[in-house]
């Protein structure tokens, strides 16, 4: 008789009843490092109780026993024929892609905090591995998905105009060779410190520009200490002038 495939129906060698060939109906055992299922079903097979000669019926597997048996079976199956195992898993993944995708979306929505914490913990534990992967993979992905990447950047900039402007400003600071840098949150903190008012004219800031007090072209740094939150007219009027050149009545040269 051909060996049954895991999950198919097969008869118990004692009672002859057809039952699924799984660890829920047949006990597992190992032989020479390989995992297999016994011929007798769980109802027919018994075991000797500890300290007793009485034959006791074996109940259903616990969750730990079931997980251990499945893990051992999968590991043995993969070691025996890795190519076949990969082919089966790829076919299963392709066949159940829609179902798996819906399940993953639902799980992430119901366990958002748990998934976020898990991802953060994984990144912290695999920093070197992640950096190595990104160094190898990112250039290839950028070359193969240039249009997709441009579209994604455009969507992000439209959705986050203030952060996009901050990113552009940092790019120009690096291009000028300016020393230091600052974060978007530091800029927001400075805005609150100024009471949402222009540093130069004192007007309320509905829109604001981050002005370099000492211009980058004159050797100013990009540290937050050299940033002043200003209204667009003041920033555009000041341009790349020194403060005492632009507003001599308020600022004096050092």
């Amino acid at each position: 008789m051909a060996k049954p495939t895991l999950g198919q129906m097969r008869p118990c060698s004692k009672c002859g009843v057809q039952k699924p060939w799984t660890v829920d109906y047949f006990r597992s055992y190992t032989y020479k490092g390989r995992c297999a299922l016994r011929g007798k079903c769980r109802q027919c097979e018994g075991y000797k109780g500890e300290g007793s000669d009485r034959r006791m019926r074996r109940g259903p597997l616990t969750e730990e026993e079931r997980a251990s048996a499945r893990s051992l079976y999968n590991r043995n199956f993969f070691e025996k024929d890795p190519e076949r195992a990969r082919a089966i898993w790829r076919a299963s993944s392709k066949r159940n892609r829609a179902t798996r995708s819906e399940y993953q979306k639902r799980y992430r929505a119901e366990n958002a905090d748990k998934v976020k914490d898990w991802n953060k913990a994984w990144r912290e534990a695999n920093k070197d591995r992640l950096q190595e992967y990104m160094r190898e993979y990112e250039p290839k992905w950028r070359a193969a998905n240039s249009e997709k990447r441009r579209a994604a950047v455009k969507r992000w900039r439209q959705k986050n105009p203030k952060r996009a402007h901050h990113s552009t400003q940092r790019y120009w600071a690096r291009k000028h060779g300016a020393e230091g840098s600052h974060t978007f949150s530091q800029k927001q903190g400075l805005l609150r410190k100024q009471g949402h008012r222009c540093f130069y004219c004192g007007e309320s800031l509905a829109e604001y520009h981050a002005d370099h007090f000492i211009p980058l072209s004159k050797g100013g740094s990009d540290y937050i200490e050299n940033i002043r939150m200003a209204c667009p007219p003041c920033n555009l009027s000041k341009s790349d002038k020194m403060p005492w050149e632009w507003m001599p009545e308020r600022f004096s040269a050092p």
Side-chain angles (χ1 to χ4, degrees):
M1 185 178 73
K3 187 178 180 181
T5 304
L6 192 67
Q8 289 184 343
M9 301 295 290
R10 66 146 289 169
C12 169
S13 62
K14 184 174 181 180
C15 65
V17 177
Q18 292 277 347
K19 297 182 179 182
W21 186 243
T22 66
V23 292
D24 292 324
Y25 293 88
F26 296 87
R27 289 183 63 196
S28 62
Y29 72 98
T30 56
Y31 177 70
K32 293 184 178 180
R34 297 294 177 182
C35 182
L37 299 180
R38 299 181 184 273
K40 294 180 184 179
C41 68
R42 287 181 172 278
Q43 290 183 351
C44 294
E45 187 183 34
Y47 72 98
K48 289 186 177 181
E50 190 172 344
S52 171
D53 291 336
R54 253 182 338 112
R55 300 284 289 179
M56 303 293 293
R57 289 192 179 278
R58 172 67 171 170
L61 280 178
T62 65
E63 288 298 327
E64 290 152 357
E65 289 174 325
R66 185 178 293 108
S68 177
R70 285 175 178 164
S71 175
L72 181 59
Y73 180 87
N74 290 336
R75 186 163 62 250
N76 290 337
F77 181 80
F78 182 82
E79 290 174 357
K80 184 177 179 181
D81 194 345
E83 291 302 320
R84 184 175 172 224
R86 290 192 184 97
I88 291 174
W89 291 339
R90 281 195 293 266
S92 175
S93 177
K94 185 176 181 180
R95 186 171 59 251
N96 300 287
R97 183 176 298 169
T99 304
R100 190 177 69 255
S101 178
E102 288 300 322
Y103 170 78
Q104 289 174 343
K105 288 179 182 178
R106 187 168 63 253
Y107 181 85
R108 291 192 185 104
E110 294 173 355
N111 302 272
D113 293 336
K114 184 177 180 180
V115 171
K116 184 178 180 181
D117 293 340
W118 186 90
N119 288 336
K120 183 178 180 181
W122 187 91
R123 287 194 297 270
E124 289 294 328
N126 296 272
K127 282 184 178 179
D128 295 340
R129 178 182 172 188
L130 189 59
Q131 289 175 357
E132 182 179 352
Y133 173 79
M134 291 304 295
R135 278 195 297 267
E136 179 181 354
Y137 174 76
E138 190 174 13
K140 298 177 183 178
W141 187 91
R142 285 172 179 263
N145 299 272
S146 56
E147 293 297 330
K148 183 177 180 180
R149 180 172 173 271
R150 277 196 289 269
V153 170
K154 185 177 180 180
R155 287 195 304 270
W156 181 84
R157 294 184 73 89
Q158 290 173 346
K159 188 177 179 181
N160 305 275
K162 292 182 179 179
R163 287 184 179 274
H165 180 73
H166 171 74
S167 179
T168 301
Q169 193 173 45
R170 286 201 59 197
Y171 165 77
W172 283 108
R174 289 195 301 271
K175 191 171 182 179
H176 278 84
E179 180 185 356
S181 65
H182 62 279
T183 64
F184 181 76
S185 59
Q186 286 179 318
K187 189 181 291 183
Q188 295 302 303
L190 180 60
L191 184 63
R192 290 191 295 271
K193 186 177 179 181
Q194 290 183 198
H196 292 266
R197 292 187 173 278
C198 176
F199 177 77
Y200 298 109
C201 67
E203 292 293 328
S204 180
L205 292 174
E207 294 291 333
Y208 64 83
H209 286 183
D211 175 62
H212 289 88
F213 189 68
I214 304 299
L216 297 178
S217 59
K218 304 292 178 62
S221 74
D222 197 38
Y223 287 117
I224 192 65
E225 290 77 12
N226 192 42
I227 300 296
R228 304 291 185 272
M229 309 309 290
C231 61
C234 285
N235 184 50
L236 295 174
S237 175
K238 179 175 177 289
S239 187
D240 63 343
K241 303 182 186 71
M242 286 294 195
W244 47 87
E245 295 174 353
W246 175 63
M247 195 179 282
E249 68 279 5
R250 181 177 174 185
F251 303 105
S252 57

